[in-house]
């Protein structure tokens, strides 16, 4: 099929989906996704620094047609601190596009791909540490409509689940940093639809009228949990399981949406009411936030649903007892330089390699090298301060100029000691050791 013409993609924020595609031909679709690191509300009184595709979690919904040529622009806002990229599960190609889209703040990357396979696909950032970028909200959905289109639905909505890991316990107030430790243990403090607790409840509920057909485009960004997606009080008439569009499954109660996967659920509104969207792993819904509302408005049908006909005795379950948090796992303490280097390698991979690169070579004009870096010849105190306090402004490393921003690294003394010892003993640097005591003494 030839690609005819060109258009700008219509992008929407959840819970809205772009309009159905009525074109009968393939075209070139230009997509501009702007990455923004923004502070926002995760729950009442709880703030979080989200990393987003377009300013909100989940990222903008992208809708194209099978056969389209998609020209993807990934714009990393200059105020951002981190490099980012994009892996679209709708792409056949290295890293789903990630290999072509690593983008430093203030830069923009462009690549294109052919939407060969119809389906509802997840996209996400794949910059190391990947789980951290995804946990901070870097995921969204791209729908590749089949050539023949989808059956008509009166209303279409975009719902995406994600799990969040905060330093403080669920409900702890204020700006909460990301907890890598809890993410590794897969113990989220929050599990939410559309980026925050209550994003789809009360006056933010999604709505429809009795008699209408409703379609939910459901995604799960994870990074870790599989959703048992369910709408209390509705049977899905058709589910396109795992976003596969060939044959819908009929009459489904709960559909599994894997992390990095999707589903499309269609149902007809036959009665009025407030129907509750949940992850049916129910403590996630009732204790961690995975709860939304669908309000159906219109006349009752007592045959479909009678309402209360008798007063019966109801014995509720007891209120859940909160179990105190287990003490945080403590990483084994390195006993000598060799152990420090080994432990530091992992700290480097998780925190530094995204910018300074796994081989320490950096990225020209963006991130200075740590390999054979003359900056590292400064005294230990200065290096410890550079990492714990961050660095910005004009800088020369090995004769090359840099003018970027490195955020301050809020890591324990042990981790800073290990990562610096690893750096000192890698890629032709001069050797040496940094101990936790050094870090404690010189921390910025
Ligand atoms: C500069 C270490 C993570 C971006 C530096 C320097 C060191 C260093 C020693 C001084 C210049 C040099 O020797 O090349 C580390 C360590 C990290 C880390 C140990 C992990 C804990 C990162 C990350 C980023 C980054 C993840 C990107 C978000 C930068 C930038 C500069 C720099 C832009 C230059 C700042 C300027 O131009 O003033 N880093 N880095 N670093 N780093 Fe990192
Ligand atoms: Cu990212």
């Amino acid at each position: 099929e030839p690609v005819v013409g060109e258009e700008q993609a219509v992008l929407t924020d959840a819970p809205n989906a772009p309009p159905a595609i009525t074109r009968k031909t393939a075209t070139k679709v230009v997509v501009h996704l702007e990455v923004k690191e923004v502070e926002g509300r995760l729950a009442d009184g709880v703030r979080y620094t989200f990393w987003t595709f377009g300013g909100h979690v989940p990222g903008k919904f992208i809708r194209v047609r099978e056969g389209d040529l998609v020209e993807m622009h990934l714009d990393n806002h200059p105020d951002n601190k981190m490099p980012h990229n994009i892996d679209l599960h709708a792409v056949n190609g290295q890293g789903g596009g990630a290999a072509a889209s690593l983008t430093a703040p203030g830069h923009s990357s462009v690549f294109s791909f052919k939407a060969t396979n119809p389906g509802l696909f997840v996209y996400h950032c794949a910059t190391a540490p990947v789980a951290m970028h995804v946990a901070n909200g870097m995921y969204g959905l791209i729908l590749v409509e089949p050539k023949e289109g989808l059956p008509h639905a009166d209303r279409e909505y975009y719902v995406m689940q994600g799990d969040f890991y905060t330093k403080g316990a669920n409900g702890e107030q204020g700006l909460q940093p990301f907890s890598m430790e809890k993410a590794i243990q897969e113990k989220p403090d929050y599990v939410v639809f559309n980026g925050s607790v209550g994003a789809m409840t009360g006056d933010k509920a999604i709505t429809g009228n009795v008699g209408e057909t409703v379609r939910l485009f459901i995604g799960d960004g994870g990074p870790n949990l599989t959703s048992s997606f369910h709408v209390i009080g509705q049977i899905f008439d058709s589910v396109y399981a795992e976003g596969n569009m060939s044959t819908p499954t009929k009459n489904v109660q709960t559909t599994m949406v894997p992390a990095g996967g999707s589903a499309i659920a269609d149902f007809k509104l036959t009665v009025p009411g407030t129907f509750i969207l949940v992850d049916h792993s129910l403590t996630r819904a009732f204790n961690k936030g995975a709860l939304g509302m669908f309000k159906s408005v219109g006349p009752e049908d007592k045959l479909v649903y009678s309402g209360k006909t008798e007063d019966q005795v109801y014995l509720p379950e007891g209120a859940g007892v909160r179990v105190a948090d287990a003490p945080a796992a403590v990483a084994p303490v390195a006993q000598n330089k060799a152990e420090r280097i080994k432990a530091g390698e992992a700290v480097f991979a998780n925190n530094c390699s995204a910018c300074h690169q796994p081989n320490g070579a950096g990225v020209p004009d963006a991130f200075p090298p740590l390999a054979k870096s003359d900056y590292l010849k400064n005294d230990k105190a200065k290096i410890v301060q550079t990492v714990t306090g961050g660095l910005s402004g004009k800088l020369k490393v090995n004769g090359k100029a840099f003018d970027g921003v490195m955020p301050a690294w809020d890591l324990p003394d042990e981790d800073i000691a290990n990562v610096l010892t690893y750096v000192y003993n890698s890629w032709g640097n001069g050797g040496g050791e940094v101990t936790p005591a050094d870090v404690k003494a010189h921390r910025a």
Side-chain angles (χ1 to χ4, degrees):
E1 192 182 5
V3 172
V4 182
E6 177 175 326
E7 63 183 49
Q8 290 284 329
V10 176
L11 304 175
T12 59
D13 287 316
N16 299 309
I21 291 175
T22 50
R23 264 187 289 121
K24 296 283 175 268
T25 52
T27 193
K28 178 171 150 190
V29 181
V30 180
V31 178
H32 276 273
L33 266 188
E34 186 183 44
V35 177
K36 286 190 197 158
E37 299 166 4
V38 290
E39 195 196 303
R41 177 190 167 281
L42 177 56
D44 286 339
V46 183
R47 310 286 296 172
Y48 193 82
T49 302
F50 297 98
W51 296 351
T52 70
F53 288 103
H56 298 276
V57 178
K60 300 275 184 192
F61 194 110
I62 309 169
R63 189 166 192 158
V64 301
R65 177 183 176 274
E66 181 183 1
D68 282 351
L69 180 67
V70 183
E71 183 179 282
M72 198 64 222
H73 295 247
L74 190 70
D75 307 329
N76 194 351
H77 194 280
D79 291 346
N80 292 344
K81 294 196 168 64
M82 294 288 164
H84 301 284
N85 63 13
I86 188 168
D87 169 348
L88 301 113
H89 294 178
V91 170
N92 287 303
Q94 184 80 41
S101 58
L102 183 65
T103 310
H107 289 247
S108 174
S109 299
V110 187
F111 66 97
S112 61
F113 67 94
K114 183 116 179 141
T116 48
N117 300 54
L120 180 61
F121 298 97
V122 167
Y123 67 80
H124 63 90
C125 182
T127 305
V130 181
M132 177 185 184
H133 284 246
V134 171
N136 285 344
M138 298 198 78
Y139 45 77
L141 291 177
I142 174 169
L143 174 66
V144 180
E145 274 198 42
K147 280 182 184 152
E148 61 280 10
L150 283 166
H152 172 79
D154 297 312
R155 308 222 173 206
E156 293 181 324
Y157 290 107
Y158 172 21
V159 182
M160 198 157 186
Q161 182 169 323
D163 23 301
F164 285 86
Y165 304 82
T166 52
K167 194 156 185 181
N170 177 295
E172 210 166 299
Q173 302 284 287
L175 181 63
Q176 289 294 324
F178 166 69
S179 166
M180 190 67 179
E181 203 173 296
K182 288 181 184 172
I184 290 168
Q185 290 168 4
E186 302 186 21
K187 284 191 179 153
D189 299 280
Y190 299 90
V191 183
V192 301
F193 296 132
N194 291 351
S196 65
V197 176
M200 298 176 64
T201 60
D203 55 9
K204 286 185 250 139
I206 51 178
T207 57
N209 298 319
V210 170
E212 288 180 329
T213 48
V214 177
R215 172 167 298 138
L216 301 181
F217 294 114
I218 310 155
D220 188 347
N224 293 322
L225 303 186
T226 292
S227 178
S228 301
F229 190 83
H230 177 80
V231 177
I232 300 176
Q234 281 295 328
I235 301 158
F236 301 138
D237 297 314
S238 295
V239 167
Y240 298 81
E242 299 184 1
N244 163 342
M245 252 156 242
S246 39
T247 335
T249 312
K250 297 290 176 188
N251 306 323
V252 174
Q253 56 187 310
T254 299
T255 186
M256 290 255 273
V257 188
S262 72
I264 301 171
D266 290 2
F267 53 94
K268 192 174 166 89
L269 296 173
T270 50
V271 289
T274 298
F275 303 105
I276 311 290
L277 284 54
V278 293
D279 179 337
H280 215 295
S281 290
L282 288 172
T283 51
R284 298 178 189 169
F286 295 107
N287 302 75
K288 294 184 174 178
L291 188 147
M293 288 178 184
F294 191 101
K295 286 198 178 135
S296 168
V297 180
E300 308 221 31
D301 183 339
K302 297 278 184 191
L303 269 177
V304 176
Y305 183 64
S306 68
K308 189 182 225 174
T309 54
E310 278 177 60
D311 194 331
Q312 297 173 331
V313 175
Y314 172 57
L315 292 174
E317 292 173 48
V321 177
R322 273 275 172 86
V323 178
D325 276 348
V330 179
V333 174
Q335 301 296 335
N336 53 49
K337 187 170 149 187
E339 286 182 17
R340 220 174 267 307
I341 294 172
K342 182 135 203 321
E345 188 174 359
V347 178
F348 185 83
N350 282 330
N351 298 285
C352 324
S353 67
C355 298
H356 293 290
Q357 302 302 297
N359 63 1
V363 174
D365 303 323
F367 306 116
L370 297 178
K372 292 207 182 95
S373 156
D374 55 8
Y375 186 94
L376 292 172
K377 295 193 177 112
N378 282 298
D379 63 13
K380 246 190 241 182
K382 170 124 187 211
I383 301 302
V384 168
Q385 277 159 20
T386 298
V387 178
T388 54
L391 188 63
S392 63
K394 291 200 190 324
L395 178 80
K396 245 187 188 162
V397 180
N398 298 347
K400 299 243 157 63
F402 294 90
D403 189 7
V405 180
M406 176 166 79
W409 292 96
D410 180 22
L411 292 169
D413 293 346
E414 174 82 13
D415 285 357
I416 298 281
N418 295 351
V419 76
L420 286 177
T421 305
Y422 169 71
V423 168
Y424 279 153
N425 289 278
S426 303
W427 322 302
N429 288 328
E433 181 173 3
V434 178
T435 64
D438 292 330
V439 178
K440 202 173 163 109
H442 302 302
R443 224 177 221 296

